[in-house]
Amino acid sequence: DRLEVNAQRAIFHQWDQLLASGCIENFRIAAGRADGLREGWFFADSDAYKWLEAAARIQSAQPDPRLANLIDEMIVLLAAAQMPDGYLFTYNQIHFPGVRWQNLQIEHELYCHGHLIEAGVSHYEATGRTDLLAIARRAADRIVEDFRGKGADYTPGHEEIEIALLRLHHITQDDTAYLDLARQFIEQRGRIPHFLRTVVQQNFQMGQRRGFVQQEKQAYLAVHPDFKPFQLPPDNSSKKSFFSPLRWYASALSGKYFQQHAPIREQIVPVGHSVRFAYLETAVAMLARESGDLTLRSTLEQVWEHMVTRRMYVTGGIGSQPGLEGFGNDYELDPEFAYAETCAALASLFWNWEMAQLTGEAKFSDLFEWQLYNAAAVGMGIDGTTYLYNNPLACKGSVVRQPWYAVPCCPSNISRTWANLSQYIFSTSPGIFRIHQYIGSKITNEILQLENGYTICVSIDMESGLPWDGQVRLLITDIASSNPDRSAPFGFQLRLPSWAGGMSITINGNPIPVSLTNPVEEKEQTASGYDPRRADFQTIQHSWAAGDEVVIAFDMPVQLRHAHPKVKGHQGKVAVTRGPLVYCLEDIDNPGIDIFNLQVDPGSFIPVFDPALLGGITRLQATTKDGKPLVLIPYFVWGNRGSSQMTVWMNLL
């Protein structure tokens, strides 16, 4: 149902907002097709590219003539706006013709080009067409020409181009130029000499340029008094500490905000802007897979471990400092201060997928699932037309879903992730078919290499009751083997989620033993109470045939999760989870009850599926110490009924 909303409502709503806010018009002005006022931040181009990537994926899965026309219209427009040498950045093309690659730590030129390249790659993968890919390659070739062999001063402040270049290399494979430049950007991070001076100079220059743009706008408005700029709703408020501005300056001037404070192999603590951080880690994991560099893998595993154990919320959200939009100190996880940006959760999904492929370990797929259902899914409303930018775990009415934002990076980012969800469900290795996510789907004609040297072509239907119940059914609908005797022995690797109380498996109705090998008793307690390291893979070997059926049943008990004692303000409090879902109290469901000060009876939780509530959810019924009834809803659907109060953490009886 979430994917249907994404395809039928969200993608068209976002297009309307991109039109109304001037983002699409910016490209028309750059192409010489319109004469007007450029709107939005200098990085506004990226929002159109992420929309285009989402639209291409959606159109491939659920063709719609309206969407097809918009995609084609946008591709033609980008081709017209792109300069002959491949450069495409409307901020400079409109306001500063002939100027490029300015203030790379601040102004996001490479970030925007990265999202253009990713759109081209995704459009090609989804459709087989090369028109948008050709635009992307021209942009990438321009960047290679301008940056190859340059020093650390030429690394970007907002990571993204690295992911794009690695994806482009993966589908082209014609030479190593894209791979080499991605490696250069990654390896030269944290090596800018005199970074303090660099970032101060670039901020000053950025301010001068913005001042010039404002003068241009005032001059335009003086000549066009009837022009009415698009009025954006106010951004979500975010509760900040008194020292928040000082902490931002300390992080930015030291380079930590940009992950420019140390070479990549020395970055073993998550710091700075959380979206930038997770994009960087995604790119590093991609590079490690491509190069086999074990030093990169060790760094990745250390920084992941630090994030999960000390700097991540129970929802999987990351970023506890609103002023930074990023990480605070160890165990600094105030629920009301939580920024936990939607884009940061999405970036972490990308990272965890790459880590799952790099290592084959279940913990990364487990965190992917947890963040998917909680920290990421909360970002889009159930109707697909309202969004959250920051995602606190306690709110007293100041955070409200909005149709758009001054920085609308999250709506199209979540849409492109939803549209690409099929790519994150399974993977294969010789003799192994690994199920990462239990999402209802059809896997058709997948080629699997067998350990005996033969191959098979297999089709599988997966039916899943998650996240509401723990029943999963895998049916092999077709299988063909290159082996003359047609036997098709291979192993299914099935993830036992960290949240599961237990797991039972049957093959064609016959139970099989479950034997897991992942010890967890001696692992460091996590700050949040959620621990993806408890996940494991169960391997079942069988000589499969069409019609074979695997049925998995997960126990889904209600669990009360306790924060680490070092997390301030959480003593005596619990977060309630069931299956992969974090639950919360919203005041609209609990009239007359102070949700921040009640005491909940720990033995009173009862799951009830309610098809009429918020599109159909399993709510939890409970009672307070004094016998008052409580209703808990999944965290990802809170805020869909207007301004409200909400809390994830509640006092225990």
Side-chain angles (χ1 to χ4, degrees):
D1 59 336
R2 305 291 286 176
L3 301 188
E4 290 294 322
V5 165
N6 191 42
Q8 296 175 7
R9 298 198 65 185
I11 198 70
F12 294 105
H13 168 80
Q14 291 167 21
W15 175 260
D16 291 341
Q17 296 296 307
L18 289 168
L19 279 176
S21 62
C23 181
I24 305 302
E25 189 72 4
N26 293 343
F27 291 98
R28 294 177 181 146
I29 297 170
R33 296 184 174 185
D35 177 23
L37 178 65
R38 187 189 182 279
E39 295 274 23
W41 282 85
F42 37 71
F43 47 77
D45 297 359
S46 62
D47 303 314
Y49 302 146
K50 283 182 285 185
W51 177 91
L52 187 53
E53 185 178 0
R57 294 288 188 188
I58 289 170
Q59 180 66 15
S60 174
Q62 302 183 47
D64 185 319
R66 296 176 299 162
L67 192 57
N69 289 335
L70 294 178
I71 292 170
D72 290 345
E73 174 187 335
M74 191 64 197
I75 293 173
V76 170
L77 180 57
L78 293 180
Q82 187 175 38
M83 298 183 71
D85 67 355
Y87 184 81
L88 180 51
F89 186 59
T90 65
Y91 185 69
N92 277 345
Q93 288 173 249
I94 294 171
H95 295 301
F96 306 99
V99 175
R100 58 183 61 176
W101 312 133
Q102 295 289 300
N103 305 320
L104 290 175
Q105 299 309 304
I106 312 294
E107 291 192 2
H108 294 48
E109 277 175 275
L110 287 169
Y111 170 85
C112 287
H113 280 83
H115 277 303
L116 170 62
I117 295 166
E118 283 213 78
V121 172
S122 290
H123 183 261
Y124 170 75
E125 290 175 336
T127 68
R129 287 167 45 182
T130 60
D131 44 352
L132 184 55
L133 181 63
I135 295 171
R137 292 201 68 172
R138 285 196 294 272
D141 291 344
R142 176 75 271 141
I143 294 167
V144 169
E145 182 69 21
D146 289 350
F147 286 86
R148 181 166 47 188
K150 294 289 185 68
D153 285 326
Y154 293 86
T155 54
H158 197 312
E159 302 89 334
E160 153 61 27
I161 185 63
E162 303 88 346
I163 296 172
L165 290 170
L166 289 163
R167 287 189 63 196
L168 187 58
H169 168 75
H170 183 74
I171 67 164
T172 57
Q173 294 289 329
D174 53 353
D175 60 48
T176 63
Y178 305 140
L179 172 65
D180 291 344
L181 186 57
R183 181 188 288 113
Q184 174 184 312
F185 283 143
I186 290 169
E187 293 286 5
Q188 293 200 12
R189 289 203 86 76
R191 300 180 187 274
I192 297 176
H194 311 296
F195 182 81
L196 173 61
R197 182 177 63 192
T198 296
V199 76
V200 169
Q201 287 176 342
Q202 291 195 12
N203 268 285
F204 178 74
Q205 292 164 358
M206 181 269 293
Q208 286 186 313
R209 281 158 57 86
R210 288 186 67 185
F212 175 78
V213 170
Q214 289 301 318
Q215 291 177 3
E216 280 196 332
K217 288 184 176 182
Q218 293 303 319
Y220 182 88
L221 293 172
V223 178
H224 302 83
D226 295 332
F227 180 84
K228 300 296 182 184
F230 182 66
Q231 296 298 312
L232 289 161
D235 286 343
N236 284 332
S237 68
S238 53
K239 188 175 180 180
K240 300 181 179 70
S241 70
F242 176 79
F243 296 104
S244 186
L246 292 176
R247 295 182 70 174
W248 184 90
Y249 279 110
S251 182
L253 296 177
S254 68
K256 291 182 178 180
Y257 177 82
F258 309 93
Q259 294 78 47
Q260 291 279 27
H261 59 294
I264 190 62
R265 287 168 184 77
E266 298 174 20
Q267 294 194 32
I268 58 174
V269 176
V271 295
H273 190 274
S274 53
V275 181
R276 299 171 196 239
F277 163 82
Y279 279 166
L280 174 61
E281 301 305 324
T282 301
V284 174
M286 294 171 73
L287 180 61
R289 285 180 63 193
E290 197 71 34
S291 67
D293 188 335
L294 295 182
T295 62
L296 290 175
R297 174 172 171 172
S298 174
T299 299
L300 287 159
E301 291 177 330
Q302 289 181 74
V303 75
W304 186 92
E305 186 87 5
H306 197 119
M307 181 186 78
V308 168
T309 56
R310 303 182 184 188
R311 297 192 176 185
M312 187 178 78
Y313 286 97
V314 71
T315 57
I318 53 175
S320 61
Q321 271 294 307
L324 294 174
E325 296 186 327
F327 293 98
N329 298 319
D330 287 353
Y331 306 107
E332 183 182 1
L333 295 170
D334 186 291
E336 196 172 0
F337 280 57
Y339 202 72
E341 184 182 337
T342 299
C343 278
L346 300 172
S348 190
L349 294 185
F350 308 150
W351 178 26
N352 277 285
W353 172 252
E354 292 298 330
M355 292 299 291
Q357 303 312 297
L358 178 65
T359 68
E361 296 183 28
K363 61 186 179 182
F364 301 110
S365 301
D366 200 85
L367 181 53
F368 183 105
E369 177 187 56
W370 195 264
Q371 292 177 321
L372 177 74
Y373 281 113
N374 299 294
V378 69
M380 181 187 289
I382 58 176
D383 67 353
T385 65
T386 57
Y387 304 89
L388 289 175
Y389 190 106
N390 53 305
N391 296 287
L393 279 70
C395 174
K396 297 182 178 178
S398 59
V399 176
V400 180
R401 295 182 182 273
Q402 300 288 359
W404 210 240
Y405 291 97
V407 180
C409 55
C410 298
S412 53
N413 208 6
I414 198 170
S415 278
R416 73 173 181 141
T417 307
W418 272 200
N420 199 34
L421 195 58
S422 63
Q423 304 302 309
Y424 302 115
I425 292 174
F426 73 96
S427 65
T428 64
S429 57
I432 294 294
F433 200 103
R434 185 175 294 114
I435 302 293
H436 296 273
Q437 303 303 329
Y438 298 104
I439 295 172
S441 51
K442 293 181 184 293
I443 300 165
T444 306
N445 296 330
E446 180 67 21
I447 303 296
L448 176 64
Q449 297 289 328
L450 301 184
E451 293 180 338
N452 59 14
Y454 293 103
T455 62
I456 61 169
C457 180
V458 62
S459 298
I460 302 169
D461 283 1
M462 177 159 54
E463 299 175 359
S464 174
L466 292 176
W468 314 124
D469 72 65
Q471 300 297 310
V472 178
R473 175 176 176 263
L474 302 173
L475 175 65
I476 297 180
T477 57
D478 191 30
I479 192 167
S481 173
S482 64
N483 190 340
D485 66 13
R486 299 188 60 79
S487 66
F490 68 89
F492 269 121
Q493 280 197 343
L494 307 173
R495 179 173 55 88
L496 174 62
S498 65
W499 49 258
M503 177 185 195
S504 64
I505 303 173
T506 63
I507 300 178
N508 298 327
N510 301 311
I512 65 168
V514 176
S515 57
L516 304 170
T517 60
N518 184 20
V520 297
E521 291 77 10
E522 298 181 4
K523 294 184 184 296
E524 176 186 354
Q525 179 185 349
T526 65
S528 69
Y530 159 68
D531 192 345
R533 300 169 302 173
R534 294 179 175 274
D536 202 358
F537 277 118
Q538 169 71 45
T539 302
I540 55 174
Q541 296 283 348
H542 191 70
S543 187
W544 303 95
D548 282 348
E549 178 186 67
V550 178
V551 175
I552 312 160
F554 298 115
D555 293 336
M556 294 179 62
V558 173
Q559 298 186 51
L560 307 183
R561 299 186 184 269
H562 299 263
H564 192 285
K566 291 184 179 179
V567 180
K568 293 181 180 179
H570 285 62
Q571 289 72 25
K573 294 181 180 290
V574 293
V576 181
T577 68
R578 178 178 179 269
L581 297 178
V582 175
Y583 279 76
C584 68
L585 290 166
E586 195 169 9
D587 62 349
I588 193 170
D589 300 306
N590 300 280
I593 296 177
D594 182 351
I595 62 174
F596 300 104
N597 293 303
L598 60 80
Q599 288 183 298
V600 65
D601 181 349
S604 65
F605 293 99
I606 301 173
V608 177
F609 184 75
D610 189 339
L613 181 60
L614 293 165
I617 61 169
T618 293
R619 68 175 189 267
L620 297 180
Q621 296 178 178
T623 56
T624 64
K625 175 183 178 180
D626 52 0
K628 294 180 180 177
L630 294 175
V631 173
L632 288 79
I633 62 171
Y635 172 77
F636 80 87
V637 293
W638 89 274
N640 275 281
R641 295 165 290 183
S643 176
S644 65
Q645 298 190 356
M646 177 276 300
T647 184
V648 166
W649 292 93
M650 55 202 77
N651 297 314
L652 192 62
L653 177 63

